[in-house]
Amino acid sequence: MIRMFQSQTVEQAKTYFNEALSKADYYIDDQELNGRFHGKLSARLGIENDIVERTVFHKLCDNIHPITGDNLTPRTVDNRRVGYDISFHCPKSVSILHAFGDDDRVLDSFRKSVHETMREMEADMQTRVRIDGQNHDRDTGELLWTDFIHQTARPVDDHPPDPHLHCHCFTFNATWDETEHRIKAGQFHNIKRDMPWYQARFQKRLADKLSELGYGIRKTGRSFEVSIVPQKAIEHFSKRTNAIGQTAKELGITDPEELDQLGARTRGKKQSSRSMPELKKSWVGQLKNVGIDHHLNEEIETTLPDLNSGQCIDHALSHSFARKSVERDRRILAEGYLHGIDSKAVSLDDIDQAFEQDDRVFKVPDGKDKLCTTIPVQAEEKRMVKLAKDMRGTVNPISPIMNETVFENLNDEQAVAVKHILKSNDRLIMVRGGAGTGKTTMMKSAVKLIEETERRVYAFAPTADASRDMLRSEGFEKADTVARLLKDDKLQSEIKDQVIWIDEAGMLGTKDMGDILELADDLNARVILTGDTRQHTSVQRGDAMRILRQVAGIPIPSVNRIYRQKGKEYREAVEAISSGDISGGFDKLESLGCIEEIETNDVSKQLANDYLQAQKEKRSALVISPTNEQAQLVTDGIRQGLKNSGELEDKDRPYSRLKNLYYSNAQKKDWRSYSKGQVVQLHQNMPGLKKGSQATVSYVDDKNVKIAQDGQTHSLDLFRPDDFDVYKSFEINLSKGDRIRITKNGFDNNGRRLNNGKILEVDSFSRQGDIRLKTPNRRNGTVYEIDKGFGNFNHAYCITSYASQGKTVDRVLIAQPSATFPASNMKQFYVSVSRGREAVKIYTDDKKDLLQTIHKEGDRMSVHELEELDQGRTQSKTKTITPNKGDYEPDI
């Protein structure tokens, strides 16, 4: 694993060196290795391989040349970015192997793997070019970094530290620009972007080196362990991880990636120095005390003897293109490396070469990298576009003559949209309806007029929440999901010669959209799509509605006049953002006092206070954050505040919550993706197992995954990946009065439907531990009861913008500190700020960077856009690729 953290200030960097890198803090005396300077820039400065001394490190932090005393870069500005701590972490079993064994080759393999990876980062180094009106980045290929190798984790409470082999490569924000012949600040953007590639290569090369030494390797999710080390020993020497887990429980953090970030931020207490022999003696005693010794069997190796580089690429393509039509080559390769991580017979070079020679992949240069798609993905998008184009001008208008009085209750935009629907000669019709613009009012009027022509309108939406909850509550009583439309033969027969209306169609991918258009063509049915291409799109690949507008040229009138926001200024801000004027909308929100810049640590506290204030004032409120980590932090603050005010029962009851791991079909087919304790939930019946039921992974070995249910063991059919999902179980606390959100379609104990996204309130608990739920703020509503093992729910106090789409509240509160910026973009911001009727409040620690961040559109590149890029680069007709291999179809 590789972590990359930025040192914001000079003092922060110096303090980090003094208290963490160079001193015995959680690092113990007599066991750490001296840090040295590395990189081509270190040689240029005359300090290559020198031991890192405090005075030299501090001079570099102060932008001073360590030899000449001159400025390192031309300008020294306040609060400049000094550098980055790029830390490399071994799998726990490697740390244990190194700590208990006498094989110095383990440490040497680790050190070599670190430096080989750092040299790859160095080769990708760039600097910004801004002189004479230029605005681009130039390759430099030089870095300056230090390496501090440590062998223990931070201690926990009174325990001695656990073994944990890792290396801190503090990398200074400096590089040599040969063109300008001077040292300048570095441009690390692409290095941060490509971190999954560097990480996968580091892990693969370390696994290969250890395998060459004779150690067996077992693949574990997205990493590996050496098989000689028992899992029980790994779990025992994870006291630091367990302590992080306890802290996370207190904070409400559950996601594995978020736990990793929490571990990097927390600190352990100092202890008196211990020598390495003392530590080893302590570690041996710990293992004996818990019954772990050399008699314990080692874990099985997962190496596939017949695995080859082509199979690694097959897996990488299947996984990568499940959710994107275009992907960067390094992201694809990272998946290939991880797939072959336990096979030394397949090298990094083998996988690189197999990918480069794979003529199923269409590659377009983009700087040093390539943007890629595949023949089937191209064909899928082109099929959808052709179907749409073929629907132009093929039918008579639904109602070419209309009485203008029917539009009296509509505004001009809504009336234009209805007329377009009724007068169009196209079988496919689209209307863009922005958030809060009265799209449903327009839809009701159009449906009424269509049905007066003796046609029936069948309403659908991509999600159960949008269809069975939202549309049905608006009077479309039989509204259902697109999934049901595509698989229900009886329903399809009813739709022949009628009208299919799909709301929130911007959330459809290219495959489903193509299937809908083909179905409509077969049934002689018309298709009406309403949605907003500026909001969130499909999880599956392809932003279908945007592509139909841009590529197929389908006309799309817009309903833009907003009604949701009651205040004029707030409404104008949302209108500006909806139209693409991000800076204008942001400025309006700032002038209204809607954007509050506060310290990172205060974001969750302040937001929780404002949420509780809204509750006191009887105003509905929705809290949104781009990331689940920030959402969990806010949730903890809100729950504690509700307990303090007596609105939430103080007593917590522990339950299991299931978090979907969102395995792609490629991952589901790989038995090495599974681990004991995971939960499998079925979408279809399997031998001995019923649709909707859960089973726990009990055993995993060579190409076989065993799952247990009610004391019975079954084999999981890995060749039916569409028929199940894989989850990990986490503990969640519930109290009477808690609000929860259902996270998967299902049914309660009495057969009542529970749709994904539905928000309910905990009413009470049965003696058996089952949970009774009710609709919030309703005295006489449906009471649901779910089994204590239901699992598919989470707290509903703070949700992501994706989960918030389609919801409306009085006040919306948005937690968006800089830690959430990687998940922030224009779509996320627009969806978030447009949820409120009365007010919006955005909490951040950096207004300037937030504005820059939300200018990112968030659109995924389409095949058509990739082809246009290729045409622009080559000034020639888009190449047509004819593969000489068998057809490749990505799993969905």
Side-chain angles (χ1 to χ4, degrees):
M1 177 182 297
I2 305 177
R3 300 188 185 117
M4 185 174 182
F5 293 100
Q6 178 179 306
S7 285
Q8 296 282 3
T9 66
V10 171
E11 289 307 314
Q12 185 184 73
K14 289 180 179 179
T15 300
Y16 183 58
F17 174 83
N18 295 341
E19 297 184 358
L21 295 181
S22 64
K23 289 179 60 177
D25 182 349
Y26 73 98
Y27 312 116
I28 309 303
D29 287 345
D30 301 325
Q31 55 162 303
E32 308 310 334
L33 306 173
N34 289 322
R36 294 180 181 272
F37 288 108
H38 299 277
K40 292 180 180 179
L41 185 57
S42 71
R44 188 177 295 277
L45 296 177
I47 57 175
E48 185 178 23
N49 288 322
D50 287 359
I51 292 176
V52 182
E53 297 179 351
R54 179 177 179 275
T55 54
V56 175
F57 190 93
H58 281 206
K59 282 183 179 180
L60 291 169
C61 290
D62 289 325
N63 197 35
I64 296 173
H65 193 298
I67 305 299
T68 67
D70 298 331
N71 275 3
L72 197 61
T73 64
R75 292 189 305 157
T76 302
V77 297
D78 293 335
N79 297 324
R80 66 188 186 88
R81 295 174 179 177
V82 177
Y84 297 84
D85 177 30
I86 303 175
S87 56
F88 294 74
H89 300 261
C90 275
K92 180 60 71 174
S93 61
V94 179
S95 298
I96 296 171
L97 177 65
H98 168 65
F100 280 81
D102 297 320
D103 191 348
D104 292 336
R105 297 175 303 170
V106 174
L107 176 61
D108 189 51
S109 296
F110 172 65
R111 182 191 287 110
K112 286 180 179 178
S113 297
V114 169
H115 283 286
E116 287 170 18
T117 307
M118 284 300 300
R119 283 194 288 272
E120 288 176 335
M121 292 186 194
E122 181 176 50
D124 292 336
M125 191 58 192
Q126 295 180 312
T127 189
R128 295 177 178 179
V129 180
R130 300 295 185 266
I131 60 174
D132 299 328
Q134 299 182 78
N135 186 11
H136 64 275
D137 298 330
R138 179 158 51 223
D139 293 341
T140 61
E142 292 198 16
L143 273 180
L144 166 63
W145 75 85
T146 65
D147 63 337
F148 293 90
I149 294 179
H150 304 286
Q151 302 171 74
T152 61
R154 293 186 183 276
V156 176
D157 298 328
D158 296 326
H159 298 283
D162 287 334
H164 178 50
L165 182 61
H166 59 290
C167 178
H168 292 267
C169 294
F170 190 91
T171 305
F172 287 92
N173 182 20
T175 189
W176 173 259
D177 187 334
E178 181 64 30
T179 302
E180 298 181 28
H181 206 69
R182 59 176 178 154
I183 296 174
K184 294 170 55 180
Q187 170 59 289
F188 287 82
H189 171 78
N190 289 345
I191 290 177
K192 287 186 281 187
R193 181 198 65 195
D194 290 337
M195 192 53 68
W197 182 79
Y198 300 117
Q199 178 167 293
R201 288 181 67 85
F202 163 69
Q203 292 176 171
K204 170 64 174 164
R205 59 172 42 107
L206 177 58
D208 285 353
K209 291 181 191 300
L210 294 173
S211 183
E212 290 289 346
L213 297 178
Y215 295 105
I217 303 296
R218 63 183 178 98
K219 186 178 186 298
T220 57
R222 303 187 67 77
S223 186
F224 75 95
E225 302 286 358
V226 287
S227 58
I228 195 173
V229 178
Q231 182 63 30
K232 287 186 178 180
I234 293 173
E235 293 170 357
H236 175 78
F237 284 125
S238 297
K239 288 189 285 292
R240 172 68 180 151
T241 302
N242 296 336
I244 293 168
Q246 180 60 38
T247 303
K249 179 180 176 181
E250 295 169 0
L251 294 174
I253 300 175
T254 56
D255 185 88
E257 294 182 6
E258 297 158 11
L259 291 172
D260 173 59
Q261 294 181 29
L262 176 64
R265 293 196 304 267
T266 54
R267 291 288 182 264
K269 297 177 181 178
K270 293 182 180 180
Q271 292 187 359
S272 58
S273 299
R274 297 173 187 245
S275 66
M276 182 55 76
E278 290 175 328
L279 283 172
K280 287 186 177 181
K281 183 178 180 180
S282 171
W283 292 334
V284 171
Q286 289 179 46
L287 293 184
K288 286 184 178 180
N289 290 338
V290 295
I292 301 175
D293 58 26
H294 63 279
H295 298 296
L296 198 64
N297 292 333
E298 66 181 67
E299 304 296 328
I300 62 167
E301 296 181 33
T302 61
T303 304
L304 303 176
D306 56 349
L307 186 70
N308 58 53
S309 57
Q311 291 169 326
C312 291
I313 298 302
D314 287 345
H315 172 88
L317 295 176
S318 181
H319 175 81
S320 299
F321 290 105
R323 291 164 188 152
K324 288 185 178 181
S325 298
V326 177
E327 184 58 282
R328 198 168 289 277
D329 60 342
R330 286 190 167 187
R331 288 282 181 149
I332 299 170
L333 286 166
E335 294 300 328
Y337 303 149
L338 293 175
H339 190 69
I341 198 169
D342 53 357
S343 177
K344 67 178 179 181
V346 182
S347 69
L348 291 169
D349 289 343
D350 291 337
I351 296 171
D352 288 344
Q353 185 176 7
F355 178 74
E356 198 59 38
Q357 295 175 351
D358 197 319
D359 51 13
R360 299 171 297 177
V361 185
F362 175 30
K363 310 177 183 79
V364 176
D366 182 53
K368 288 186 176 182
D369 299 343
K370 297 181 181 70
L371 295 172
C372 307
T373 191
T374 67
I375 300 298
V377 175
Q378 285 178 309
E380 177 184 278
E381 185 175 307
K382 291 179 185 296
R383 163 194 174 237
M384 179 193 73
V385 170
K386 184 178 186 303
L387 284 165
K389 286 182 175 180
D390 289 347
M391 290 180 167
R392 298 290 305 275
T394 57
V395 295
N396 293 322
I398 294 174
S399 180
I401 302 175
M402 289 166 285
N403 186 335
E404 292 295 324
T405 59
V406 300
F407 302 113
E408 290 178 352
N409 295 323
L410 303 177
N411 66 33
D412 293 343
E413 291 177 340
Q414 293 168 330
V416 168
V418 173
K419 289 177 182 178
H420 174 68
I421 291 169
L422 298 178
K423 291 186 176 183
S424 175
N425 291 103
D426 299 340
R427 188 183 297 281
L428 170 62
I429 300 167
M430 300 200 307
V431 175
R432 177 185 178 256
T437 58
K439 175 169 55 72
T440 304
T441 300
M442 180 276 298
M443 182 177 176
K444 287 180 179 179
S445 298
V447 169
K448 180 181 178 181
L449 292 170
I450 293 171
E451 294 190 337
E452 286 179 0
T453 67
E454 298 185 354
R455 292 179 176 86
R456 293 183 61 190
V457 177
Y458 291 78
F460 300 93
T463 67
D465 188 36
S467 58
R468 296 171 186 150
D469 277 356
M470 299 297 181
L471 283 177
R472 290 185 184 183
S473 68
E474 293 291 347
F476 302 97
E477 297 177 357
K478 294 185 178 181
D480 219 313
T481 62
V482 168
R484 188 187 169 205
L485 166 65
L486 293 175
K487 70 180 181 181
D488 190 326
D489 294 338
K490 183 179 179 181
L491 176 60
Q492 291 173 9
S493 66
E494 293 179 23
I495 292 174
K496 184 174 176 60
D497 301 323
Q498 306 304 317
V499 178
I500 299 170
W501 192 310
I502 301 178
D503 194 27
E504 297 291 351
M507 299 179 73
L508 287 173
T510 50
K511 184 179 185 302
D512 282 348
M513 185 68 82
D515 290 345
I516 291 166
L517 298 183
E518 185 172 359
L519 177 66
D521 195 46
D522 292 341
L523 297 176
N524 192 39
R526 302 183 193 230
V527 179
I528 302 172
L529 306 176
T530 48
D532 188 357
T533 54
R534 291 193 183 276
Q535 297 192 54
H536 288 299
T537 53
S538 167
V539 174
Q540 306 301 337
R541 67 169 174 253
D543 302 345
M545 198 170 175
R546 181 175 65 85
I547 294 169
L548 289 176
R549 174 173 59 85
Q550 293 180 347
V551 183
I554 305 300
I556 181 166
S558 293
V559 180
N560 296 316
R561 190 177 302 167
I562 294 175
Y563 292 95
R564 178 180 292 159
Q565 283 74 46
K566 304 305 180 185
K568 180 176 180 292
E569 292 86 357
Y570 180 16
R571 183 168 61 250
E572 288 175 347
V574 175
E575 285 173 345
I577 296 168
S578 175
S579 67
D581 182 9
I582 301 301
S583 295
F586 191 91
D587 289 344
K588 287 181 181 294
L589 290 173
E590 188 167 17
S591 68
L592 289 170
C594 297
I595 305 175
E596 187 169 349
E597 188 174 73
I598 55 179
E599 292 293 327
T600 304
N601 295 335
D602 294 332
V603 168
S604 297
K605 180 179 179 181
Q606 183 60 48
L607 194 150
N609 289 338
D610 289 350
Y611 175 86
L612 295 170
Q613 183 61 36
Q615 294 290 98
K616 290 179 182 178
E617 296 175 10
K618 307 298 182 184
R619 314 310 293 165
S620 62
L622 182 65
V623 185
I624 301 174
S625 182
T627 67
N628 285 309
E629 178 188 22
Q630 190 65 46
Q632 293 288 356
L633 289 169
V634 173
T635 292
D636 178 70
I638 291 174
R639 290 190 77 243
Q640 189 58 54
L642 290 170
K643 287 182 179 182
N644 293 341
S645 66
E647 296 183 49
L648 195 63
E649 199 174 69
D650 191 51
K651 181 181 179 181
D652 277 332
R653 295 171 182 253
Y655 284 88
S656 292
R657 177 180 80 84
L658 295 180
K659 175 179 170 51
N660 196 333
L661 298 178
Y662 292 108
Y663 278 177
S664 65
N665 281 3
Q667 290 172 308
K668 292 179 189 177
K669 290 179 179 179
D670 185 357
W671 64 273
R672 301 171 301 166
S673 299
Y674 299 85
S675 61
K676 186 177 180 180
Q678 289 177 338
V679 176
V680 173
Q681 191 152 15
L682 304 180
H683 306 319
Q684 300 294 334
N685 293 333
M686 285 188 178
L689 299 165
K690 292 184 178 180
K691 173 183 177 180
S693 65
Q694 300 172 6
T696 303
V697 176
S698 58
Y699 183 73
V700 181
D701 67 1
D702 189 14
K703 299 182 181 180
N704 193 17
V705 178
K706 295 289 187 181
I707 53 177
Q709 183 187 94
D710 298 330
Q712 299 293 317
T713 301
H714 309 267
S715 291
L716 180 63
D717 190 345
L718 303 183
F719 293 98
R720 295 175 57 183
D722 288 322
D723 294 344
F724 63 89
D725 278 327
V726 186
Y727 296 79
K728 189 167 183 179
S729 180
F730 298 94
E731 187 175 288
I732 184 174
N733 288 321
L734 293 181
S735 298
K736 183 179 179 180
D738 257 325
R739 292 193 179 183
I740 66 170
R741 181 173 61 88
I742 302 300
T743 55
K744 184 182 185 301
N745 296 332
F747 297 88
D748 78 345
N749 294 344
N750 298 310
R752 297 185 182 91
R753 180 179 289 277
L754 289 167
N755 293 325
N756 183 15
K758 190 175 186 65
I759 294 178
L760 296 166
E761 182 178 309
V762 176
D763 184 59
S764 61
F765 303 92
S766 72
R767 290 183 178 181
Q768 294 75 29
D770 292 347
I771 309 167
R772 297 190 183 95
L773 305 165
K774 64 180 182 180
T775 303
N777 302 322
R778 284 192 192 174
R779 292 183 178 179
N780 299 314
T782 302
V783 176
Y784 302 87
E785 184 175 278
I786 58 175
D787 184 82
K788 61 183 179 182
F790 182 81
N792 293 301
F793 61 85
N794 197 4
H795 290 124
Y797 300 107
C798 184
I799 61 179
T800 63
S801 61
Y802 198 97
S804 75
Q805 189 157 311
K807 291 179 168 45
T808 302
V809 293
D810 294 327
R811 301 175 188 174
V812 59
L813 311 172
I814 305 170
Q816 203 156 357
S818 53
T820 70
F821 289 177
S824 302
N825 55 50
M826 188 185 300
K827 290 179 184 290
Q828 167 272 318
F829 192 71
Y830 169 46
V831 171
S832 299
V833 300
S834 62
R835 297 305 97 198
R837 296 188 193 94
E838 299 174 356
V840 61
K841 196 69 172 289
I842 301 148
Y843 308 79
T844 186
D845 55 359
D846 194 330
K847 287 183 183 181
K848 183 178 179 180
D849 276 4
L850 174 59
L851 176 58
Q852 181 178 351
T853 296
I854 61 175
H855 270 88
K856 296 184 298 183
E857 289 187 353
D859 289 332
R860 297 173 293 187
M861 181 176 282
S862 68
V863 169
H864 176 77
E865 289 164 333
L866 180 63
E867 292 172 340
E868 282 192 330
L869 177 64
D870 185 49
Q871 287 177 337
R873 296 275 171 84
T874 63
Q875 295 298 308
S876 63
K877 187 176 180 180
T878 304
K879 67 171 75 173
T880 301
I881 306 171
T882 304
N884 55 26
K885 299 186 180 182
D887 286 342
Y888 158 72
E889 177 60 42
D891 291 316
I892 299 297

